[in-house]
Amino acid sequence: METRTEYEKMIIKEVREMPGEALPQVVKIIHSLKESILSVKAPHKKDAVKGSGLCGIWEDERSAAEIIKDIRLHRTGFGGRKVAL
């Protein structure tokens, strides 16, 4: 239990050093992190899959090659830098 207390102290120290205007975003990040950890730890049931907010969850009938082709077709050149895929 001592280790948890030390981590809590470290987290509080880091949060106190954050600019006040960043705190709402810090809370969102912590909440998202907590949800993603709980999502991974929870027993997985196909009907009860919940998104962590860190990545998309969807079902797609297309093959991986078709999905990659679709992604490449919809790239816009990354702000004019013309990155080759």
Side-chain angles (χ1 to χ4, degrees):
M1 198 58 153
E2 185 65 31
T3 303
R4 180 179 173 105
T5 304
E6 290 303 313
Y7 282 124
E8 289 169 348
K9 289 177 187 176
M10 291 168 54
I11 292 167
I12 290 170
K13 179 184 178 292
E14 292 295 329
V15 169
R16 286 187 176 149
E17 293 174 355
M18 296 293 295
E21 61 271 9
L23 292 179
Q25 188 65 29
V26 171
V27 171
K28 287 180 185 178
I29 291 168
I30 292 171
H31 179 73
S32 179
L33 178 62
K34 180 182 85 173
E35 290 296 316
S36 67
I37 291 169
L38 293 177
S39 174
V40 171
K41 283 188 171 185
H44 292 289
K45 295 179 183 175
K46 187 156 178 102
D47 297 333
V49 174
K50 181 181 176 189
S52 68
L54 298 178
C55 58
I57 296 177
W58 71 91
E59 292 184 20
D60 201 320
E61 298 297 320
R62 299 176 295 170
S63 68
E66 291 172 313
I67 294 170
I68 292 168
K69 180 180 176 184
D70 188 42
I71 291 169
R72 288 184 170 163
L73 286 173
H74 289 90
R75 294 293 168 128
T76 60
F78 297 96
R81 292 182 292 173
K82 303 296 181 198
V83 175
L85 298 175

